[in-house]
Amino acid sequence: MTNSSPSLPVAPADIDAAARVLAPFAVRTPLLSLPALDERVGAKVFLKPEMLQRTGSFKFRGAFNKLSSIPQAARGGGVVAFSSGNHAQGVAAAAQILNMRATIVMPADAPRSKRERTMGYGAEVVLYDRDREDREAIARRIAGKHGATLVPPYDDPQVIAGQGTVGREIAEDMAALGLTPDIVIAPASGGGLVAGVATAVLSRYPQAVVMSAEPEGFDDHARSLSVGRREAHQAEGRTICDALMASIPGEITFAVNQRLLVRGVTASDAEVGAAVAFVFRELKLVVEPGGAVGLAALLAGRVEARGKTIAIVLSGGNVDADLYARLIA
Amino acid sequence: MTNSSPSLPVAPADIDAAARVLAPFAVRTPLLSLPALDERVGAKVFLKPEMLQRTGSFKFRGAFNKLSSIPQAARGGGVVAFSSGNHAQGVAAAAQILNMRATIVMPADAPRSKRERTMGYGAEVVLYDRDREDREAIARRIAGKHGATLVPPYDDPQVIAGQGTVGREIAEDMAALGLTPDIVIAPASGGGLVAGVATAVLSRYPQAVVMSAEPEGFDDHARSLSVGRREAHQAEGRTICDALMASIPGEITFAVNQRLLVRGVTASDAEVGAAVAFVFRELKLVVEPGGAVGLAALLAGRVEARGKTIAIVLSGGNVDADLYARLIA
């Protein structure tokens, strides 16, 4: 397993460059450990709390890196994005910092907190019906009308490189502790985060096993990795992991993930809820359901953890208060 | 204003020593900032998230430093402490690490989560009636019977020095950022945290204004600092800040605070609740009511913040899920 092949769309050097672009604006989130967690799973576990990132999720990293790559001449047209919420906030906040106009196409059933926070960063929000309308088509129409640049949520090398700074920081902090990660787990929707994390971590620790984590049923990465080609999940309902509902891995992200990831793990909504409550009780951090799916898989015994050194990305904390109150009850 | 006087019971060097004792066991919590908070109050605000500390509050620091100072010959008798909760967990966790027996005298109405977590660290819990019994007398009786060492919650130089490592880290991180704190605020119950923080911060930044923060009515520090002698508060009811209900500043802590603190600020339960919800929504951290009282005072406009560089200690995150759910609703 290597990620130094020139054929991959994102190289470790791209992530180094993204880290330099992000340094003045992104939070360098710490790497947390918790004796009670280590005892419970019999491993050394480190958590990367991206809810502490600007906008409350890792998505700011990819969005800001992407927007920073737009040539000055094209910035006047602004940006447009489609997103179930966290990417929306990332793009809106990045556009605000860079003084660009942002339009966000968002499902009408996205958590209220995510809509309000997106508007709070000065973006215009256009709602669509998740079951009947095509968000990509709407976003492209807006892009065409305003001359705006479309900012994909995951299937873009600059976005993946930005998210990869999460993995770069994990690797740096592990090195500072004198530790070598055996297993690294990151949530996957379109697969941009885990692709970037895998690229960065494996460039420093080529023996690490990197896994995607998904809600039970919404397991398109687990399936695709297993069969070796992009395959959609079969879920028809909803999951409390509203951030992880993409139906199929991205083309670019899967080109990376197929090469770098070993497998995907999943967790049920009940297991995710238990992980959210665990993080409330033991870590005093607010994690959104989708952000806790990797930890949920670990706590549910889906990862052979004993004796291992494990890093898990908690990818965000944007959750409505009423759902959160129910999950921690 | 100076804290280098030999007459003070805790010196900066004691805090340096505590930092060395704590280094292998305590979490070095980060210093967080939040653009939305800076904009709201027109200041550069830094938050010290001690809910991320081992046991979920700063209290582990003082407890571990104190227990580490007990001579080997006296360790067999174990330790006893009285506490409304966070000190209990700190002592229990420190005793567990140092392989000592711990008995904790705790009010019967303390949050369930705090009782359970204390027992989870292997301590024996003895409950008492907050309105009718004298916790100090009960603790002393137990200490006499077992030959245990009493670990005071605040009025002890080793405890204060341990809590002072919070201020030492704030000062170090501010220096690394090239910033000078104008104002530093820490919650006060018996006053050990703010005494230690003031000692450490002022040794590096002698011009800083250090303030205690208390719940409205439970304002014994604000009163005492104002009149120049230890004075009890006049509150008869309860506050949601269960960790901040001491009736009068400690003798040792007030000897420090009278010299080093400029004044005390307060916040109402409603303002504290709003601060807890703000920290949930914007910072994705779980802060308990008492831990948020400094930030609550800032958000309520009780601090002349505009243009200043401010550090505020969020002192803990041990809050029952039902109260928390109500506060973030």
Side-chain angles (χ1 to χ4, degrees):
Chain A
M1 193 177 305
T2 170
N3 61 345
S4 59
S5 161
S7 69
L8 285 182
V10 179
D14 300 324
I15 298 173
D16 295 340
R20 287 190 294 273
V21 167
L22 283 167
F25 301 102
V27 176
R28 196 192 185 295
T29 54
L31 198 59
L32 304 175
S33 63
L34 180 70
L37 177 57
D38 288 1
E39 280 156 33
R40 177 161 162 181
V41 300
K44 276 180 116 62
V45 183
F46 295 88
L47 300 170
K48 181 70 169 170
E50 281 294 299
M51 69 285 283
L52 301 180
Q53 185 52 259
R54 205 187 264 250
T55 72
S57 92
F58 73 96
K59 286 283 191 179
F60 175 77
R61 299 175 184 258
F64 190 85
N65 194 50
K66 174 66 178 177
L67 266 62
S68 298
S69 77
I70 297 173
Q72 283 295 339
R75 290 193 184 187
V79 291
V80 58
F82 45 89
S83 165
S84 64
N86 281 332
H87 178 56
Q89 291 179 52
V91 171
Q96 190 174 49
I97 291 170
L98 296 169
N99 203 21
M100 295 168 74
R101 190 172 62 176
T103 307
I104 310 294
V105 182
M106 190 179 285
D109 63 347
R112 189 169 52 87
S113 60
K114 295 188 177 181
R115 288 208 309 274
E116 288 177 357
R117 291 170 63 89
T118 302
M119 292 188 283
Y121 293 113
E124 185 188 343
V125 171
V126 175
L127 299 176
Y128 77 98
D129 183 327
R130 198 196 284 266
D131 295 319
R132 290 172 37 211
E133 294 181 273
D134 178 355
R135 64 182 187 174
E136 303 197 24
I138 296 170
R140 284 205 197 86
R141 198 163 59 234
I142 293 167
K145 202 165 70 181
H146 294 314
T149 304
L150 182 66
V151 183
Y154 46 82
D155 226 10
D156 179 283
Q158 297 288 349
V159 170
I160 296 169
Q163 323 302 30
T165 59
V166 172
R168 190 175 184 273
E169 291 171 10
I170 291 172
E172 276 184 354
D173 288 0
M174 285 278 186
L177 293 167
L179 295 171
T180 299
D182 299 305
I183 299 173
V184 177
I185 307 175
S189 185
L193 172 64
V194 73
V197 165
T199 302
V201 167
L202 293 167
S203 75
R204 188 152 193 166
Y205 297 106
Q207 305 309 320
V209 169
V210 184
M211 302 177 184
S212 59
E214 293 167 302
E216 207 169 83
F218 296 78
D219 58 347
D220 44 296
H221 278 83
R223 287 166 174 263
S224 300
L225 291 168
S226 160
V227 300
R229 63 171 183 279
R230 293 168 64 234
E231 194 165 275
H233 66 66
Q234 302 298 308
E236 290 183 354
R238 292 273 190 273
T239 161
I240 58 171
C241 303
D242 62 281
L244 303 184
M245 292 174 68
S247 60
I248 189 165
E251 291 183 30
I252 299 173
T253 60
F254 193 67
V256 175
N257 289 328
Q258 185 172 20
R259 282 274 292 284
L260 303 185
L261 269 56
V262 171
R263 69 179 177 101
V265 292
T266 64
S268 70
D269 276 6
E271 289 162 353
V272 167
V276 169
F278 179 89
V279 171
F280 163 78
R281 217 170 41 237
E282 302 292 340
L283 278 162
K284 316 302 178 189
L285 291 171
V286 177
V287 65
E288 64 183 274
V293 69
L295 178 61
L298 177 73
L299 291 175
R302 304 281 169 71
V303 179
E304 289 192 16
R306 193 151 292 276
K308 299 289 206 309
T309 298
I310 304 176
I312 298 181
V313 181
L314 302 177
S315 53
N318 292 316
V319 52
D320 277 352
D322 53 353
L323 172 59
Y324 191 71
R326 262 194 292 135
L327 296 177
I328 64 173
Chain B
M1 192 176 304
T2 170
N3 62 346
S4 58
S5 159
S7 70
L8 284 181
V10 180
D14 299 325
I15 299 173
D16 295 340
R20 286 190 293 274
V21 168
L22 283 166
F25 301 101
V27 175
R28 196 191 186 295
T29 54
L31 197 58
L32 304 176
S33 63
L34 180 69
L37 178 56
D38 288 1
E39 281 157 30
R40 176 162 163 180
V41 300
K44 276 179 114 67
V45 183
F46 295 88
L47 300 170
K48 181 69 169 170
E50 281 294 298
M51 68 286 283
L52 302 179
Q53 185 52 257
R54 205 187 262 250
T55 73
S57 91
F58 73 96
K59 287 283 192 180
F60 175 77
R61 298 175 184 257
F64 191 85
N65 194 50
K66 173 67 177 176
L67 267 62
S68 298
S69 77
I70 297 173
Q72 283 295 339
R75 291 194 182 185
V79 291
V80 59
F82 45 91
S83 163
S84 66
N86 281 332
H87 178 57
Q89 291 179 52
V91 171
Q96 192 174 48
I97 291 170
L98 295 168
N99 204 20
M100 295 168 74
R101 187 172 63 175
T103 308
I104 310 293
V105 183
M106 190 178 286
D109 63 347
R112 189 168 52 88
S113 59
K114 294 187 177 181
R115 288 207 310 273
E116 288 177 357
R117 291 168 64 89
T118 302
M119 292 187 283
Y121 293 114
E124 185 187 344
V125 171
V126 175
L127 298 177
Y128 77 99
D129 183 327
R130 197 196 284 266
D131 296 318
R132 291 173 34 210
E133 294 181 274
D134 178 355
R135 64 181 186 175
E136 303 198 25
I138 297 171
R140 284 205 197 86
R141 198 163 58 233
I142 293 168
K145 201 166 72 182
H146 293 314
T149 303
L150 182 67
V151 184
Y154 47 83
D155 226 10
D156 180 282
Q158 297 288 350
V159 171
I160 296 169
Q163 323 302 31
T165 59
V166 172
R168 190 175 185 274
E169 291 171 10
I170 291 173
E172 277 184 353
D173 288 359
M174 284 278 186
L177 292 167
L179 294 172
T180 300
D182 298 306
I183 299 172
V184 177
I185 307 175
S189 185
L193 172 63
V194 73
V197 166
T199 303
V201 168
L202 292 168
S203 75
R204 189 152 192 166
Y205 297 106
Q207 306 308 320
V209 169
V210 184
M211 302 177 185
S212 59
E214 294 167 303
E216 207 170 84
F218 297 78
D219 57 348
D220 45 297
H221 278 83
R223 286 166 174 265
S224 302
L225 292 169
S226 159
V227 300
R229 63 172 183 278
R230 293 167 64 233
E231 194 166 275
H233 66 67
Q234 301 298 309
E236 292 184 351
R238 291 274 191 272
T239 162
I240 57 171
C241 302
D242 63 280
L244 303 184
M245 291 175 68
S247 60
I248 189 165
E251 290 183 32
I252 300 172
T253 60
F254 193 66
V256 176
N257 289 328
Q258 185 173 20
R259 282 273 292 284
L260 303 185
L261 268 56
V262 171
R263 67 179 178 101
V265 292
T266 64
S268 70
D269 276 7
E271 289 162 353
V272 166
V276 169
F278 179 88
V279 171
F280 163 77
R281 217 169 42 236
E282 301 292 340
L283 277 161
K284 316 301 179 191
L285 290 170
V286 178
V287 65
E288 64 183 273
V293 69
L295 178 61
L298 177 73
L299 292 175
R302 303 280 167 72
V303 179
E304 288 192 16
R306 193 151 292 277
K308 300 286 205 312
T309 298
I310 304 176
I312 298 180
V313 181
L314 302 177
S315 53
N318 292 316
V319 53
D320 277 353
D322 53 353
L323 172 59
Y324 191 71
R326 263 193 292 135
L327 295 178
I328 64 172

